[in-house]
Coordinates of all heavy atoms in Angstrom, one line a residue:
M12 N 0.8 -1.2 0.0 CA 0.0 0.0 0.0 C 0.9 1.2 0.0 O 1.9 1.3 0.6 CB -0.9 0.0 1.2 CG -2.1 -0.8 1.1 SD -3.2 -0.7 2.5 CE -3.4 -2.4 2.8
K13 N 0.3 2.3 -0.6 CA 1.1 3.5 -0.7 C 1.2 4.3 0.6 O 2.1 5.0 0.8 CB 0.5 4.4 -1.8 CG 0.5 3.8 -3.2 CD -0.3 4.6 -4.1 CE -0.4 3.9 -5.5 NZ -1.3 4.6 -6.4
N14 N 0.2 4.2 1.4 CA 0.0 5.0 2.6 C 0.9 4.5 3.7 O 0.6 3.5 4.3 CB -1.4 5.1 3.1 CG -1.6 6.1 4.1 OD1 -0.7 6.8 4.5 ND2 -2.8 6.1 4.7
Q15 N 2.0 5.2 4.0 CA 3.0 4.8 5.0 C 2.9 5.8 6.2 O 3.9 5.9 7.0 CB 4.4 4.7 4.5 CG 4.6 3.6 3.4 CD 4.3 2.3 3.9 OE1 4.6 1.9 5.0 NE2 3.6 1.4 3.1
N16 N 1.8 6.5 6.3 CA 1.7 7.5 7.3 C 1.4 6.8 8.7 O 0.9 5.7 8.7 CB 0.6 8.5 7.0 CG 0.8 9.3 5.7 OD1 2.0 9.7 5.5 ND2 -0.2 9.4 4.9
K17 N 1.7 7.5 9.7 CA 1.5 7.0 11.1 C 0.0 7.1 11.4 O -0.6 8.2 11.2 CB 2.3 7.7 12.1 CG 2.2 7.2 13.5 CD 3.1 7.9 14.5 CE 2.8 7.3 15.8 NZ 3.4 8.1 16.9
I18 N -0.6 6.0 11.9 CA -2.0 6.0 12.3 C -2.1 5.7 13.8 O -1.5 4.7 14.3 CB -2.8 5.0 11.5 CG1 -2.8 5.3 10.0 CG2 -4.2 4.9 12.1 CD1 -3.5 4.3 9.2
S19 N -2.7 6.6 14.5 CA -2.9 6.4 16.0 C -4.4 6.2 16.2 O -5.2 6.8 15.5 CB -2.3 7.5 16.8 OG -2.9 8.8 16.4
I20 N -4.8 5.4 17.2 CA -6.2 5.1 17.4 C -6.5 5.1 18.9 O -5.6 5.0 19.8 CB -6.5 3.7 16.9 CG1 -5.8 2.6 17.7 CG2 -6.3 3.5 15.4 CD1 -6.3 1.2 17.4
T21 N -7.8 5.4 19.2 CA -8.4 5.3 20.5 C -9.6 4.5 20.3 O -10.4 4.6 19.3 CB -8.7 6.6 21.2 OG1 -9.5 7.4 20.3 CG2 -7.4 7.4 21.4
T22 N -9.9 3.6 21.2 CA -11.1 2.7 21.1 C -12.1 3.0 22.3 O -11.7 3.4 23.4 CB -10.7 1.2 21.1 OG1 -10.1 0.9 22.3 CG2 -9.9 0.9 19.9
K23 N -13.4 2.7 22.0 CA -14.4 2.9 23.0 C -15.4 1.7 22.8 O -15.9 1.5 21.6 CB -15.1 4.2 22.8 CG -16.3 4.4 23.7 CD -16.9 5.8 23.4 CE -18.1 6.1 24.1 NZ -18.7 7.4 23.7
T24 N -15.7 0.9 23.8 CA -16.6 -0.2 23.7 C -18.0 0.4 23.9 O -18.3 1.1 24.9 CB -16.3 -1.3 24.7 OG1 -15.0 -1.7 24.5 CG2 -17.3 -2.4 24.5
L25 N -18.9 0.1 23.0 CA -20.3 0.6 23.0 C -21.2 -0.4 23.8 O -20.8 -1.6 23.9 CB -20.8 0.8 21.6 CG -20.0 1.8 20.7 CD1 -20.5 1.8 19.3 CD2 -19.9 3.2 21.4
A26 N -22.3 0.0 24.2 CA -23.3 -0.8 24.9 C -23.7 -2.1 24.0 O -24.0 -3.1 24.6 CB -24.5 0.0 25.3
S27 N -23.6 -1.9 22.7 CA -24.0 -3.0 21.8 C -23.0 -4.1 21.8 O -23.2 -5.2 21.2 CB -24.2 -2.5 20.4 OG -23.0 -1.9 19.9
G28 N -21.8 -3.8 22.3 CA -20.7 -4.8 22.2 C -19.7 -4.5 21.1 O -18.7 -5.0 21.0
N29 N -20.2 -3.6 20.2 CA -19.3 -3.2 19.1 C -18.2 -2.2 19.7 O -18.4 -1.7 20.8 CB -20.1 -2.5 18.0 CG -21.0 -3.4 17.3 OD1 -20.7 -4.6 17.2 ND2 -22.0 -2.9 16.7
C30 N -17.2 -1.9 18.9 CA -16.1 -1.1 19.3 C -16.0 0.1 18.3 O -15.9 -0.1 17.1 CB -14.9 -1.9 19.3 SG -13.5 -1.1 20.2
Q31 N -16.1 1.3 18.9 CA -15.9 2.5 18.0 C -14.4 2.9 18.1 O -13.9 3.0 19.2 CB -16.7 3.7 18.6 CG -16.6 4.9 17.7 CD -17.3 6.1 18.4 OE1 -17.2 6.3 19.6 NE2 -18.0 6.9 17.6
V32 N -13.8 3.0 17.0 CA -12.4 3.4 16.9 C -12.3 4.8 16.3 O -12.8 5.0 15.2 CB -11.6 2.4 16.0 CG1 -10.2 2.8 15.9 CG2 -11.8 1.0 16.5
K33 N -11.6 5.7 17.0 CA -11.3 7.0 16.4 C -9.9 7.0 16.1 O -9.0 6.5 16.9 CB -11.6 8.1 17.4 CG -11.3 9.5 16.8 CD -11.7 10.6 17.8 CE -11.5 11.9 17.1 NZ -12.0 13.1 17.9
F34 N -9.6 7.3 14.8 CA -8.2 7.3 14.4 C -7.7 8.6 13.8 O -8.5 9.4 13.3 CB -8.0 6.1 13.4 CG -8.8 6.3 12.1 CD1 -8.3 6.9 11.0 CD2 -10.1 5.8 12.0 CE1 -9.0 7.1 9.8 CE2 -10.8 5.9 10.8 CZ -10.3 6.5 9.8
Y35 N -6.4 8.8 13.9 CA -5.8 10.0 13.3 C -4.7 9.5 12.3 O -3.9 8.7 12.7 CB -5.1 10.8 14.4 CG -6.1 11.3 15.5 CD1 -6.3 10.5 16.6 CD2 -6.8 12.5 15.3 CE1 -7.2 10.9 17.6 CE2 -7.7 12.9 16.3 CZ -7.9 12.1 17.4 OH -8.8 12.5 18.3
V36 N -4.7 10.1 11.1 CA -3.6 9.8 10.2 C -2.7 11.0 10.2 O -3.1 12.1 9.8 CB -4.2 9.6 8.7 CG1 -3.1 9.3 7.7 CG2 -5.2 8.5 8.8
E37 N -1.5 10.8 10.7 CA -0.5 11.9 10.8 C 0.3 12.0 9.5 O 1.2 11.3 9.2 CB 0.4 11.6 12.0 CG -0.3 11.6 13.3 CD 0.5 11.1 14.4 OE1 1.7 11.3 14.4 OE2 -0.1 10.7 15.4
D38 N -0.2 13.0 8.7 CA 0.4 13.3 7.4 C 0.6 14.8 7.3 O -0.4 15.6 7.5 CB -0.5 12.8 6.3 CG 0.1 13.1 4.9 OD1 1.1 13.7 4.8 OD2 -0.6 12.7 3.9
E39 N 1.8 15.3 7.1 CA 2.0 16.8 7.1 C 1.3 17.4 5.9 O 0.8 18.5 6.1 CB 3.5 17.1 6.9 CG 4.3 16.8 8.2 CD 5.8 17.1 8.0 OE1 6.1 17.9 7.1 OE2 6.6 16.6 8.8
A40 N 1.2 16.8 4.8 CA 0.5 17.4 3.6 C -1.0 17.3 3.8 O -1.7 18.3 3.4 CB 0.9 16.7 2.4
K41 N -1.6 16.2 4.3 CA -3.0 16.1 4.4 C -3.4 15.3 5.7 O -3.7 14.1 5.6 CB -3.5 15.3 3.2 CG -5.0 15.3 3.1 CD -5.5 14.6 1.8 CE -7.0 14.5 1.7 NZ -7.4 13.7 0.6
P42 N -3.4 15.9 6.8 CA -3.8 15.2 8.0 C -5.3 14.8 8.0 O -6.1 15.6 7.5 CB -3.5 16.2 9.2 CG -3.5 17.5 8.5 CD -3.0 17.3 7.1
Q43 N -5.6 13.7 8.5 CA -7.0 13.2 8.5 C -7.3 12.5 9.8 O -6.5 12.1 10.5 CB -7.2 12.2 7.3 CG -7.0 12.8 6.0 CD -7.1 11.7 4.9 OE1 -6.4 10.7 5.0 NE2 -7.9 11.9 3.9
Y44 N -8.6 12.4 10.0 CA -9.1 11.6 11.2 C -10.4 11.0 10.8 O -11.0 11.3 9.8 CB -9.3 12.5 12.4 CG -10.5 13.5 12.3 CD1 -11.7 13.1 12.9 CD2 -10.4 14.7 11.7 CE1 -12.8 14.0 12.8 CE2 -11.4 15.5 11.6 CZ -12.6 15.2 12.2 OH -13.7 16.0 12.1
G45 N -10.8 10.0 11.5 CA -12.1 9.3 11.2 C -12.5 8.4 12.3 O -11.9 8.2 13.3
Y46 N -13.6 7.7 11.9 CA -14.2 6.7 12.8 C -14.4 5.4 12.1 O -14.8 5.4 10.9 CB -15.5 7.2 13.4 CG -15.4 8.5 14.2 CD1 -15.4 9.7 13.6 CD2 -15.1 8.4 15.6 CE1 -15.3 10.9 14.3 CE2 -15.0 9.6 16.3 CZ -15.1 10.8 15.7 OH -14.9 11.9 16.4
L47 N -14.2 4.3 12.8 CA -14.5 3.0 12.3 C -15.3 2.2 13.3 O -14.9 2.2 14.5 CB -13.2 2.3 12.0 CG -13.2 0.8 11.6 CD1 -13.9 0.6 10.2 CD2 -11.9 0.2 11.5
L48 N -16.3 1.5 12.9 CA -17.1 0.7 13.8 C -16.7 -0.8 13.5 O -16.9 -1.2 12.4 CB -18.6 0.9 13.6 CG -19.5 0.1 14.5 CD1 -19.3 0.6 16.0 CD2 -20.9 0.3 14.1
V49 N -16.2 -1.5 14.6 CA -15.9 -2.9 14.4 C -16.7 -3.7 15.4 O -17.1 -3.2 16.4 CB -14.4 -3.1 14.6 CG1 -13.5 -2.5 13.6 CG2 -13.9 -2.7 16.0
S50 N -17.0 -4.9 15.0 CA -17.8 -5.8 15.8 C -16.9 -6.5 16.9 O -16.1 -7.3 16.5 CB -18.5 -6.8 15.0 OG -17.6 -7.6 14.2
G51 N -17.0 -6.0 18.1 CA -16.2 -6.6 19.2 C -14.8 -6.1 19.2 O -14.3 -5.5 18.2
P52 N -14.1 -6.4 20.3 CA -12.7 -6.0 20.4 C -11.8 -6.8 19.4 O -12.0 -7.9 19.2 CB -12.3 -6.3 21.8 CG -13.4 -7.1 22.4 CD -14.6 -7.0 21.5
K53 N -10.8 -6.1 18.9 CA -9.8 -6.7 18.0 C -8.4 -6.2 18.3 O -8.3 -5.1 18.9 CB -10.1 -6.2 16.5 CG -11.3 -6.8 15.9 CD -11.4 -6.4 14.4 CE -12.5 -7.1 13.7 NZ -12.5 -6.8 12.3
P54 N -7.4 -6.9 18.0 CA -6.0 -6.4 18.2 C -5.8 -5.1 17.4 O -6.3 -4.9 16.3 CB -5.1 -7.6 17.7 CG -6.0 -8.8 17.7 CD -7.4 -8.3 17.4
V55 N -4.9 -4.3 18.0 CA -4.6 -3.0 17.4 C -4.1 -3.2 15.9 O -4.5 -2.4 15.0 CB -3.6 -2.2 18.2 CG1 -3.1 -1.0 17.5 CG2 -4.2 -1.9 19.6
G56 N -3.2 -4.1 15.7 CA -2.7 -4.4 14.4 C -3.8 -4.7 13.3 O -3.7 -4.1 12.2
E57 N -4.8 -5.5 13.7 CA -5.9 -5.8 12.8 C -6.7 -4.5 12.5 O -7.1 -4.3 11.4 CB -6.8 -6.8 13.4 CG -6.2 -8.2 13.3 CD -7.2 -9.3 13.8 OE1 -8.4 -9.1 13.7 OE2 -6.7 -10.3 14.3
I58 N -6.9 -3.7 13.5 CA -7.7 -2.5 13.3 C -7.0 -1.5 12.4 O -7.6 -1.0 11.4 CB -8.0 -1.8 14.7 CG1 -8.9 -2.7 15.5 CG2 -8.6 -0.4 14.5 CD1 -9.1 -2.2 16.9
I59 N -5.7 -1.3 12.6 CA -4.9 -0.5 11.7 C -4.9 -1.0 10.3 O -5.0 -0.2 9.3 CB -3.5 -0.2 12.3 CG1 -3.6 0.6 13.6 CG2 -2.6 0.5 11.3 CD1 -2.3 0.8 14.3
D60 N -4.7 -2.3 10.1 CA -4.8 -2.9 8.8 C -6.1 -2.6 8.1 O -6.2 -2.3 6.9 CB -4.5 -4.4 8.8 CG -3.0 -4.7 9.1 OD1 -2.2 -3.8 8.9 OD2 -2.7 -5.8 9.5
E61 N -7.2 -2.8 8.9 CA -8.5 -2.6 8.3 C -8.7 -1.1 7.9 O -9.3 -0.8 6.8 CB -9.6 -3.0 9.3 CG -11.0 -2.9 8.7 CD -12.0 -3.6 9.6 OE1 -11.7 -4.3 10.5 OE2 -13.2 -3.3 9.4
I62 N -8.2 -0.2 8.7 CA -8.3 1.3 8.4 C -7.5 1.5 7.1 O -8.0 2.2 6.2 CB -7.7 2.1 9.5 CG1 -8.7 2.1 10.7 CG2 -7.5 3.6 9.1 CD1 -8.1 2.6 12.0
K63 N -6.3 1.0 6.9 CA -5.5 1.2 5.7 C -6.2 0.6 4.5 O -6.2 1.2 3.4 CB -4.2 0.5 5.9 CG -3.2 1.3 6.8 CD -1.9 0.6 7.0 CE -1.0 1.3 7.9 NZ 0.3 0.6 8.1
Q64 N -6.8 -0.6 4.6 CA -7.5 -1.2 3.5 C -8.7 -0.3 3.1 O -9.0 -0.1 1.9 CB -8.0 -2.6 3.9 CG -6.9 -3.6 4.0 CD -7.4 -4.9 4.5 OE1 -8.6 -5.1 4.8 NE2 -6.5 -5.9 4.7
R65 N -9.5 0.2 4.0 CA -10.7 1.0 3.7 C -10.2 2.3 3.1 O -10.9 2.8 2.2 CB -11.5 1.2 4.9 CG -12.2 -0.1 5.3 CD -13.1 0.1 6.5 NE -13.7 -1.2 7.0 CZ -14.9 -1.4 7.3 NH1 -15.8 -0.4 7.1 NH2 -15.4 -2.5 7.7
M66 N -9.2 2.9 3.6 CA -8.7 4.1 3.0 C -8.2 3.9 1.5 O -8.5 4.7 0.6 CB -7.5 4.7 3.8 CG -8.0 5.3 5.1 SD -6.6 5.9 6.1 CE -6.0 7.3 5.1
E67 N -7.5 2.8 1.3 CA -7.1 2.4 -0.1 C -8.3 2.2 -1.0 O -8.3 2.7 -2.1 CB -6.2 1.2 0.0 CG -5.6 0.8 -1.3 CD -4.5 1.8 -1.8 OE1 -4.0 2.6 -0.9 OE2 -4.2 1.9 -3.0
R68 N -9.3 1.5 -0.5 CA -10.5 1.3 -1.3 C -11.2 2.6 -1.6 O -11.6 2.8 -2.8 CB -11.5 0.4 -0.5 CG -12.6 -0.2 -1.3 CD -13.5 -1.2 -0.5 NE -12.7 -2.0 0.4 CZ -13.1 -2.3 1.6 NH1 -14.3 -1.9 2.1 NH2 -12.4 -3.1 2.4
R69 N -11.3 3.5 -0.7 CA -11.9 4.8 -0.9 C -11.1 5.6 -2.0 O -11.6 6.3 -2.8 CB -12.0 5.6 0.4 CG -12.7 6.9 0.2 CD -13.0 7.6 1.4 NE -14.2 6.9 2.0 CZ -14.8 7.3 3.1 NH1 -14.4 8.4 3.7 NH2 -15.8 6.6 3.6
R70 N -9.7 5.5 -1.9 CA -8.9 6.2 -2.8 C -9.0 5.7 -4.2 O -9.1 6.4 -5.2 CB -7.4 6.1 -2.3 CG -6.6 7.3 -2.6 CD -5.1 7.2 -2.0 NE -4.7 6.1 -1.3 CZ -4.7 6.0 0.0 NH1 -5.1 7.0 0.8 NH2 -4.3 4.9 0.7
N71 N -9.1 4.4 -4.3 CA -9.3 3.7 -5.6 C -10.7 4.1 -6.2 O -10.8 4.3 -7.4 CB -9.2 2.2 -5.5 CG -7.7 1.8 -5.3 OD1 -6.8 2.5 -5.6 ND2 -7.5 0.6 -4.7
T72 N -11.7 4.1 -5.4 CA -13.0 4.5 -5.9 C -13.0 5.9 -6.4 O -13.6 6.2 -7.5 CB -14.1 4.3 -4.8 OG1 -14.1 3.0 -4.3 CG2 -15.4 4.7 -5.3
A73 N -12.3 6.8 -5.7 CA -12.3 8.2 -6.1 C -11.5 8.4 -7.5 O -11.8 9.2 -8.3 CB -11.6 9.1 -5.1
M74 N -10.5 7.5 -7.7 CA -9.7 7.6 -8.9 C -10.5 7.1 -10.1 O -10.2 7.4 -11.2 CB -8.4 6.8 -8.7 CG -7.4 7.5 -7.8 SD -5.9 6.5 -7.4 CE -5.4 6.0 -9.0
N75 N -11.5 6.2 -9.9 CA -12.2 5.6 -11.0 C -13.4 6.5 -11.4 O -14.3 6.0 -12.1 CB -12.7 4.2 -10.6 CG -11.5 3.3 -10.5 OD1 -10.6 3.4 -11.3 ND2 -11.6 2.3 -9.7
M76 N -13.5 7.7 -10.9 CA -14.7 8.5 -11.3 C -14.5 9.1 -12.7 O -13.8 10.2 -12.8 CB -14.9 9.6 -10.2 CG -15.4 9.1 -9.0 SD -15.7 10.5 -7.9 CE -16.5 9.7 -6.5
N77 N -15.0 8.5 -13.7 CA -14.9 9.0 -15.0 C -16.3 9.1 -15.6 O -16.9 8.0 -15.8 CB -14.0 8.0 -15.9 CG -13.7 8.5 -17.3 OD1 -14.5 9.4 -17.8 ND2 -12.7 8.0 -17.9
P78 N -16.8 10.2 -16.0 CA -18.1 10.3 -16.5 C -18.4 9.6 -17.8 O -19.5 9.3 -18.1 CB -18.4 11.8 -16.6 CG -17.0 12.4 -16.7 CD -16.1 11.5 -15.9
F79 N -17.3 9.4 -18.5 CA -17.4 8.7 -19.8 C -17.3 7.2 -19.8 O -17.5 6.5 -20.7 CB -16.4 9.3 -20.8 CG -16.5 10.7 -21.0 CD1 -15.6 11.6 -20.5 CD2 -17.6 11.3 -21.6 CE1 -15.7 12.9 -20.6 CE2 -17.7 12.7 -21.8 CZ -16.8 13.5 -21.3
Y80 N -17.0 6.7 -18.6 CA -16.8 5.3 -18.4 C -17.6 4.9 -17.1 O -17.0 4.9 -16.1 CB -15.4 4.9 -18.3 CG -15.1 3.4 -18.2 CD1 -15.4 2.5 -19.2 CD2 -14.7 2.9 -17.0 CE1 -15.2 1.2 -19.1 CE2 -14.5 1.5 -16.8 CZ -14.8 0.7 -17.9 OH -14.6 -0.7 -17.7
P81 N -18.9 4.6 -17.3 CA -19.6 4.3 -16.1 C -19.2 2.9 -15.4 O -19.0 1.9 -16.1 CB -21.1 4.2 -16.6 CG -21.0 3.9 -18.0 CD -19.6 4.5 -18.5
I82 N -19.0 3.0 -14.1 CA -18.7 1.8 -13.4 C -19.7 1.6 -12.3 O -20.4 2.6 -11.9 CB -17.3 1.9 -12.7 CG1 -17.2 3.1 -11.8 CG2 -16.2 1.9 -13.8 CD1 -15.9 3.1 -11.0
P83 N -19.9 0.4 -11.8 CA -20.9 0.3 -10.8 C -20.5 1.0 -9.5 O -19.3 1.0 -9.2 CB -20.9 -1.2 -10.5 CG -20.0 -1.9 -11.5 CD -19.4 -0.8 -12.3
I84 N -21.4 1.7 -8.9 CA -21.1 2.5 -7.7 C -20.9 1.5 -6.5 O -21.8 0.7 -6.3 CB -22.2 3.5 -7.4 CG1 -22.3 4.5 -8.6 CG2 -22.0 4.2 -6.1 CD1 -23.5 5.5 -8.4
A85 N -19.8 1.7 -5.8 CA -19.6 0.9 -4.7 C -20.6 1.3 -3.6 O -20.9 2.4 -3.4 CB -18.2 1.0 -4.2
P86 N -21.1 0.3 -2.8 CA -22.0 0.6 -1.8 C -21.3 1.5 -0.7 O -20.1 1.3 -0.4 CB -22.4 -0.7 -1.2 CG -21.4 -1.7 -1.6 CD -20.8 -1.1 -2.9
E87 N -22.1 2.4 -0.2 CA -21.5 3.3 0.8 C -21.2 2.5 2.1 O -21.9 1.7 2.5 CB -22.4 4.4 1.1 CG -21.8 5.6 1.9 CD -22.6 6.8 1.8 OE1 -23.3 7.0 0.8 OE2 -22.5 7.6 2.8
D88 N -20.0 2.8 2.7 CA -19.6 2.1 3.9 C -20.0 3.0 5.1 O -19.4 4.0 5.5 CB -18.1 2.0 3.9 CG -17.5 1.1 4.9 OD1 -18.3 0.7 5.9 OD2 -16.3 0.8 4.9
H89 N -21.1 2.5 5.8 CA -21.6 3.3 6.9 C -20.8 3.0 8.2 O -21.2 3.6 9.3 CB -23.1 3.0 7.1 CG -23.9 3.5 6.0 ND1 -24.2 4.8 5.8 CD2 -24.5 2.8 5.0 CE1 -24.9 4.9 4.7 NE2 -25.1 3.7 4.2
N90 N -19.8 2.2 8.2 CA -19.0 1.9 9.4 C -17.7 2.5 9.3 O -16.8 2.3 10.2 CB -18.9 0.3 9.5 CG -20.2 -0.4 9.9 OD1 -21.0 0.2 10.5 ND2 -20.3 -1.6 9.4
F91 N -17.4 3.4 8.3 CA -16.1 4.0 8.1 C -16.3 5.4 7.7 O -16.9 5.7 6.6 CB -15.3 3.2 7.1 CG -13.9 3.8 6.9 CD1 -12.9 3.6 7.8 CD2 -13.6 4.5 5.7 CE1 -11.7 4.1 7.7 CE2 -12.4 5.0 5.5 CZ -11.4 4.8 6.5
Y92 N -15.8 6.4 8.5 CA -16.0 7.8 8.1 C -14.6 8.4 8.2 O -13.8 8.2 9.1 CB -16.9 8.5 9.1 CG -18.3 8.0 9.0 CD1 -18.7 7.0 9.9 CD2 -19.2 8.5 8.1 CE1 -20.0 6.5 9.8 CE2 -20.5 8.0 8.0 CZ -20.9 7.0 8.8 OH -22.2 6.5 8.7
L93 N -14.3 9.2 7.2 CA -12.9 9.8 7.0 C -13.1 11.3 6.8 O -13.9 11.7 5.9 CB -12.2 9.2 5.9 CG -10.7 9.6 5.7 CD1 -9.9 9.3 6.9 CD2 -10.2 8.9 4.4
Y94 N -12.4 12.1 7.5 CA -12.5 13.6 7.4 C -11.1 14.2 7.3 O -10.1 13.6 7.8 CB -13.1 14.2 8.7 CG -14.5 13.6 9.0 CD1 -14.6 12.6 9.9 CD2 -15.6 14.0 8.3 CE1 -15.8 12.1 10.3 CE2 -16.8 13.5 8.6 CZ -16.9 12.5 9.6 OH -18.2 12.0 9.9
S95 N -11.0 15.4 6.7 CA -9.7 16.1 6.6 C -9.6 16.9 7.9 O -10.6 17.5 8.4 CB -9.7 17.1 5.4 OG -9.7 16.4 4.2
A96 N -8.4 17.0 8.5 CA -8.3 17.7 9.8 C -7.9 19.1 9.5 O -7.4 19.5 8.5 CB -7.2 17.0 10.6

């Protein structure tokens, strides 16, 4: 993956048993933060890998936006939110 930026996370267990992860992507050019909802507690390494995969998937989807070449729209991911800081 292209993204070698440092990702830091904080987790919060919800009443439902799911885990809300708030993460920060430390990048001087484009700092970002976001939230990820995971089912149950997971090891930190797995959570960071999942964040990286979802960011890469979002980046690839944005790169494929060509009005002359229609592609199926990927379903929206309601468990992953990413914002510019």
